[in-house]
């Protein structure tokens, strides 16, 4: 792209970033295959016994962990390792960057072994009393620690940049990536406590039981900000790159900074909206978290208008007239500008993802949809919408620039996001309609819902599970096309020197940003809000009367630890 700064890449940084992109893409081949099995099973095309040697929950765990946790975390670190030094005009300190990358890889391999060996079929939420092999938890902890090291490695760069550029605004790309990792760091402290204090000692047999409500509260303290950790790198691309790809400028740099700060403020204190149906959480806590959930939707609503204004400005620069001409004048199918397709398709999907999120957040409506297939419908319109497509697009950009290889099969590359868009809309329609008719989110009794022998036999869901399957097949085809583009490019000959370059946008006008220039007040306000929102939750959990449970494996229904059952039997014996 013309006028975009191109910088040479050190060989160490080049190898690291390519590794951090390629490893999760390779694992994703398994993750996508496991997703295809789910839709075929729901529609009754295959039975659970036909999961290619995997057990149902094992395949579902693989699908969620690889696609939603491993791919996203590696991507965010690789993207930050490339973007933060580039935007600051500095080079990445390599020693700690490698320590971070190796820690993440070792952790991922440990967790992958546990899942593939059938010793960690606990899904990506790893709720106790489902129990996994200790290596699964240790691997997850290492993945997190590795990502922290990457973040800590950028901080000295930023501090030096501030010293050398007094009075200048921090580049917006750096604000976006720091917001991502501030949210991630705070959120992962809770899950680190859950894993280190509750789950690892329990899975090693050092403790006999685990406090389930406490573990769930700690998980959701992490689990909701996790979704903004996924979303924020995509927002960084929308604000800092999409306006330029659309031929225009960012409509308001100040509003972009406000959005990032609001996401630091509101992303965390909302975990109870995943626990509306849990009796241990008081209605007061649920109400407070519900209000805060509506607050966290605000930065996304602001984003919708700011990005639309930037797109309109770009199209008018290229001659769009009248009220709606700017919509059709976007470079939807440009092969020179192929990343635009990934970002715009994700945004279109997110309109429906956002609406379904507001439904979930509303207590009364949540009671209708909770634990039904509506919820996977919602999250495929969010994490598998704007997030996945932005990450896929950027992974191709990083692959191409860091390897010095021209992107291959460009037309196919542009088709991928639109094919995915069609697939995910069809899939989510099936899942969400099915959910409204009571189709469960995840349950396995060995037989599909369309099998008359299944205790879950529901012929009226046939339409929904069939539509879901069609959507899932289209999504799989889109991913096969992506893998073709990725691997064909990776295996092609180098055509130029490796370089780092991003199409960073200019702002429409230079606005004073005041309190938005400094992270500190927002960070302090976020910590205060967390204390306000979580003090009553901790009190609720501590007051709960039924708190501990022995371990359980879904495909091995006898509790791993028999003590509670024995206790119940003994107390029943006269
Ligand atoms: Fe969510 C459950 C509420 C956003 C992911 N969510 C989940 C789960 C996941 C997930 C994975 O309140 C399941 C967890 C599990 O396993 O149990 N969610 C919300 C709300 C939002 C929201 C209020 N979710 C996300 C995002 C995710 C994500 C983002 C991933 C990245 N979610 C919930 C709730 C639950 C939940 C409850 C629990 C449900 C239950 O009972 O279990 C909001 O942040 C959404 C705000 C978004 C908007 C949309 C703005 C639109 C934009 C596009 C503009 C388009 C343009 C294009 C400009 C308001 C920015 C123009 C087009 C042209 C052609 C020019």
């Amino acid at each position: 792209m013309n006028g975009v700064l191109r910088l040479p890449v050190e060989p160490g940084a080049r190898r690291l970033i390519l590794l951090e992109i390629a490893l999760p893409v390779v694992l994703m081949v398994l993750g996508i295959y496991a997703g295809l099995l789910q839709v075929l099973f729901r529609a009754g095309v295959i039975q659970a016994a036909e999961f290619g040697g995997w057990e149902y929950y094992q395949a579902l765990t693989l699908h969620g962990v690889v696609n939603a946790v491993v791919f996203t975390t590696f991507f965010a670190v690789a993207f930050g390792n490339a973007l933060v030094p580039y935007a600051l005009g500095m080079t990445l300190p390599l020693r700690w960057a490698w320590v971070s990358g190796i820690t993440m890889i070792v952790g991922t391999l440990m967790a992958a072994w546990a899942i593939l060996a059938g010793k960690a079929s606990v899904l990506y939420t790893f709720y106790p009393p489902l129990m996994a092999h200790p290596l699964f938890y240790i691997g997850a902890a290492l993945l997190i620690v590795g990502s922290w090291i990457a973040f800590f490695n950028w901080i000295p760069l930023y501090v030096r940049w501030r010293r050398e550029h007094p009075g200048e605004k921090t580049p917006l790309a750096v604000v976006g990536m720091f917001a991502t990792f501030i949210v991630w760091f705070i959120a992962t402290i809770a899950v680190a406590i859950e894993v280190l204090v509750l789950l690892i000692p329990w899975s090693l047999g050092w403790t006999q039981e685990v406090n389930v409500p406490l573990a769930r509260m700690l998980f959701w303290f992490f689990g909701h900000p996790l979704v903004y950790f996924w979303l924020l790198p995509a927002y960084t691309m929308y604000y800092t790159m999409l306006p330029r790809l659309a031929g225009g400028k960012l409509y308001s740099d100040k509003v972009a900074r406000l959005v990032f700060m609001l996401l630091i403020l509101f992303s965390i204190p909302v975990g109870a909206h995943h626990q509306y149906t849990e009796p241990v959480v008081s209605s007061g806590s649920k109400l407070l978290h519900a209000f805060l959930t509506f607050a966290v939707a605000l930065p996304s609503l602001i984003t919708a208008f700011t990005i639309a204004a930037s797109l309109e400005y770009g199209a008018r620069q290229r001659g769009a007239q009248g009220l709606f001409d700017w919509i059709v004048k976007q470079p939807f199918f440009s092969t020179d500008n192929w990343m635009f397709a990934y970002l715009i398709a994700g945004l279109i999907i997110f309109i429906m993802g956002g609406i379904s999120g507001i439904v979930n957040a509303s207590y009364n409506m949540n009671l209708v949809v909770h634990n039904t297939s509506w919820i996977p419908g919602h999250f495929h319109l969010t994490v598998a919408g704007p997030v996945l497509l932005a990450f896929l697009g950027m992974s191709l950009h990083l692959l191409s620039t860091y390897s010095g290889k021209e992107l291959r099969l460009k037309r196919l590359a542009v088709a991928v996001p639109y094919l995915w868009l069609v697939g995910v809309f069809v899939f989510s329609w099936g899942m969400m309609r099915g959910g409204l008719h009571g189709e469960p989110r995840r349950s396995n009794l060995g037989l599909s819902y369309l099998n008359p022998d299944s205790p879950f036999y529901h012929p009226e869901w046939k339409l929904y599970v069939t539509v879901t399957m069609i959507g899932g097949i289209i999504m799989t085809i889109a991913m096969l096309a992506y893998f073709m583009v990725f691997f064909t490019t990776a295996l092609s000959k180098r055509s130029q020197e490796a370089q780092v370059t991003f199409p960073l946008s200019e702002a429409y006008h230079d606005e004073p940003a005041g309190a938005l220039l400094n992270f500190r007040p927002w960070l302090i306000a976020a910590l205060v809000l967390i204390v306000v929102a979580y003090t009553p939750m901790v009190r609720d959990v501590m007051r709960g009367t039924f708190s501990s449970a022995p371990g359980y494996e879904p495909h091995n229904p006898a509790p791993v630890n028999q003590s509670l059952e024995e206790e119940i039997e003994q107390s029943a014996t006269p």
Side-chain angles (χ1 to χ4, degrees):
M1 190 165 222
N2 293 336
V4 172
L5 179 66
R6 292 166 196 275
L7 299 175
V9 181
E10 284 180 59
R14 182 176 153 263
R15 276 195 292 272
L16 176 68
I17 288 170
L18 289 175
L19 182 65
E20 286 175 343
I21 291 292
L23 179 82
V25 170
V26 170
L27 282 176
M28 224 172 29
V29 175
L30 287 182
I32 294 295
Y33 175 59
L36 177 67
L37 292 178
Q38 298 299 321
V39 288
L40 296 178
F41 171 65
R42 275 179 183 263
V45 173
I46 59 170
Q47 298 302 320
E50 298 169 272
F51 268 42
W54 292 334
E55 184 275 330
Y56 170 87
Y57 284 110
Q58 184 186 12
L60 193 49
T61 305
L62 192 69
H63 177 62
V65 171
V66 167
N67 296 349
V69 181
V70 173
F71 174 66
T72 51
T73 309
F74 269 91
F75 175 84
V77 166
F79 183 44
N81 275 340
L83 185 63
V84 170
Y86 175 85
L88 294 175
M90 294 176 169
T91 46
L92 180 70
L94 278 180
R95 188 179 333 141
W96 285 106
W98 271 100
V99 173
S100 138
I102 290 169
T103 311
M104 288 168 60
I105 291 171
V106 171
T108 301
L109 294 178
M110 281 180 175
W113 171 81
I115 298 171
L116 291 170
K119 294 176 188 300
S121 301
V122 290
L123 308 171
Y124 89 103
T125 41
F126 50 86
Y127 282 161
L130 293 179
M131 187 194 265
H133 190 280
L135 280 187
F136 174 82
Y137 301 120
I138 296 170
L142 287 179
L143 180 68
I144 290 173
V145 170
S147 67
W148 287 352
I149 297 172
F151 177 40
F152 297 153
N153 198 29
W154 308 330
I155 294 175
L157 288 185
Y158 172 60
V159 172
R160 209 174 86 213
W161 184 92
R162 293 277 307 229
R163 243 196 338 262
E164 290 169 5
H165 299 80
E168 273 183 46
K169 282 185 196 167
T170 306
L172 189 58
V174 177
V175 175
M177 289 317 292
F178 271 54
T180 308
F181 277 82
I182 288 172
V183 168
W184 175 244
F185 181 66
I186 300 175
T188 42
I189 290 174
V191 81
I193 296 172
E194 182 198 0
V195 167
L196 296 179
V197 179
L198 299 180
L199 301 183
I200 292 180
W202 176 61
S203 68
L204 285 168
W206 298 343
T207 52
Q208 294 306 303
E209 292 178 349
V210 71
N211 184 326
V212 172
L214 178 62
R216 285 169 78 100
M217 185 201 77
L218 289 169
F219 181 83
W220 285 118
F221 182 105
F222 152 80
H224 196 80
L226 169 69
V227 315
Y228 294 103
F229 167 71
W230 295 333
L231 189 67
L232 272 157
Y235 272 22
T236 304
M237 290 177 230
Y238 295 154
Y239 279 111
T240 65
M241 298 173 204
L242 184 62
R244 181 170 198 139
L245 294 171
K249 293 184 177 179
L250 172 60
Y251 191 69
S252 172
D253 169 85
K254 184 176 182 176
V255 164
R257 288 171 197 272
L258 175 68
V259 163
F260 288 129
M261 296 305 171
L262 287 178
L263 282 169
I264 293 179
L265 184 61
F266 291 124
S267 286
I268 299 162
V270 294
H273 74 224
H274 293 268
Q275 299 185 276
Y276 281 153
T277 55
E278 292 186 22
V280 73
V281 183
S282 67
S283 44
S285 300
K286 288 172 186 166
L287 183 68
L288 179 58
H289 284 231
F291 281 132
L292 290 168
T293 305
F294 287 111
V296 78
L298 273 179
S300 292
L301 281 170
I302 298 173
T303 300
F305 289 103
T306 318
I307 296 300
S310 308
L311 293 173
E312 179 176 351
Y313 175 77
R316 292 203 186 282
Q317 295 303 102
R318 283 179 281 103
Q321 307 277 327
L323 257 188
F324 298 112
D325 196 25
W326 67 272
I327 298 179
V328 287
K329 280 242 159 60
Q330 300 298 330
F332 290 108
F333 300 105
S334 160
T335 45
D336 296 333
N337 215 351
W338 50 267
M339 221 191 349
F340 180 85
Y342 285 81
L343 298 184
I344 195 74
L347 275 170
I348 295 169
I349 297 172
F350 196 35
I351 296 173
M352 299 316 290
I355 293 172
S356 55
I358 306 285
V359 169
N360 299 346
S362 318
Y363 181 75
N364 305 38
M365 287 196 272
N366 183 281
L367 297 185
V368 178
V369 298
H370 181 68
N371 261 344
T372 71
S373 57
W374 168 283
I375 302 298
H378 160 69
F379 67 68
H380 281 82
L381 295 169
T382 49
V383 64
V387 174
L388 178 78
L389 289 181
F391 288 17
L392 293 185
M394 184 50 70
S395 66
L396 293 178
H397 176 77
L398 291 174
L399 171 70
S400 159
T401 52
Y402 271 78
S403 65
K405 296 172 181 179
E406 178 81 8
L407 188 78
R408 296 300 164 114
L409 308 175
K410 279 193 186 152
R411 283 204 189 144
L412 191 62
V414 170
V416 167
Y418 299 116
L419 200 55
W420 182 267
L421 177 146
V422 172
V424 87
F425 273 154
V426 173
F427 168 90
S428 290
W429 185 89
M431 290 297 258
M432 294 168 93
R433 285 302 295 255
L436 294 176
H437 288 83
E439 185 189 331
R441 171 181 176 168
R442 41 163 119 90
S443 52
N444 169 40
L445 295 169
L447 299 169
S448 116
Y449 308 142
L450 298 184
N451 187 323
D453 296 332
S454 164
F456 270 144
Y457 177 53
H458 273 282
E460 69 274 23
W461 294 338
K462 188 170 173 111
L463 172 67
Y464 311 124
V465 291
T466 309
V467 170
T468 299
M469 180 186 67
I470 294 170
I473 291 172
I474 300 173
M475 289 157 79
T476 309
I477 295 170
M479 282 308 292
L480 288 178
Y482 164 79
F483 291 134
M484 270 180 73
V485 175
F486 188 94
F487 292 115
T488 311
T489 305
L491 298 174
S492 65
K493 280 217 174 98
R494 187 185 290 188
S495 53
Q496 60 196 43
E497 276 307 297
Q499 52 180 299
V500 49
T501 175
F502 291 100
L504 294 184
S505 316
E506 282 173 48
Y508 180 63
H509 45 200
D510 186 22
E511 302 153 284
L516 299 168
L517 290 178
N518 197 337
F519 286 105
R520 195 171 298 138
W522 300 91
L523 206 49
I524 295 171
L527 295 177
V528 170
L529 209 53
I530 290 169
V531 173
V532 170
Y534 268 97
T535 305
M537 281 279 278
V538 174
R539 187 206 53 203
D540 295 344
V541 169
M542 291 308 179
R543 279 187 188 165
T545 50
F546 190 86
S547 58
S548 293
Y552 181 85
E553 286 173 2
H555 49 282
N556 176 19
V560 175
N561 178 328
Q562 297 280 356
S563 65
L564 187 69
E565 277 208 339
E566 284 162 12
E567 234 173 76
I568 295 168
E569 265 173 35
Q570 277 165 12
S571 62
T573 314

